[in-house]
Amino acid sequence: MTLSPNWRRTLLTVHVATAVGWLGSDFVMLALGISGLSGGDPDVVYPAMYLVARAVFAPLSFVVLLVAVLNGLLTPWGLVRWWWVVVKLFLVTLMVVLVVLSLLPGLALAADLRGALPAGDRVNMVVAPSVSTTMMLVATVLSTFKPWGRTPWSRAPRGAARPARGVPAGPS
């Protein structure tokens, strides 16, 4: 199933808007983490960081993953036809898992402990959003440059011969 050009542009707009919001909320958490590490009031910083994560970052994580899967299923890019799509899907899925299993519980604890948060944990409040921001920027680069060509699971378009092994397939 593929979408009409208008629906495809609509889905792409939702994809870009949610991804930009996700990246923006990650930058906010990074700024708050840096503030907490550099002497900001922990009674304000960590509850605010948890609120951003719980109210914006986590929900957007799920929306970005859902829109990514819809993009893969409903557009010619597919979910496993191109290496750059596979890697992006892996990165987004990994981030959603880390948000649910690590980030939210860690930030809830940080918000509860506030001033009693150990120094090592305050460093983690900077490291986590730094890593996720880097992963999002890698995904952005992949979307822009579309490297590596087709995967072995890709079906060649009708009437097109499949390229020989090692030969790039189509534009990347």
Side-chain angles (χ1 to χ4, degrees), residues 36-54:
L37 191 59
S38 61
D41 184 355
D43 289 337
V44 174
V45 170
Y46 298 118
M49 198 171 179
Y50 177 61
L51 178 64
V52 170
R54 190 188 70 210

Side-chain angles (χ1 to χ4, degrees), residues 1-13 70-71 73-76:
M1 179 179 168
T2 58
L3 298 174
S4 70
N6 283 338
W7 278 109
R8 196 168 157 199
R9 282 189 289 270
T10 300
L11 186 59
L12 178 62
T13 302
L70 288 174
N71 259 316
L73 294 174
L74 299 175
T75 68

Side-chain angles (χ1 to χ4, degrees), residues 1-3 8 11 65-81 85 89 155:
M1 179 179 168
T2 58
L3 298 174
R8 196 168 157 199
L11 186 59
L65 180 59
L66 174 66
V67 171
V69 170
L70 288 174
N71 259 316
L73 294 174
L74 299 175
T75 68
W77 290 114
L79 282 176
V80 294
R81 292 181 187 156
V85 175
L89 185 60
R155 291 181 300 194

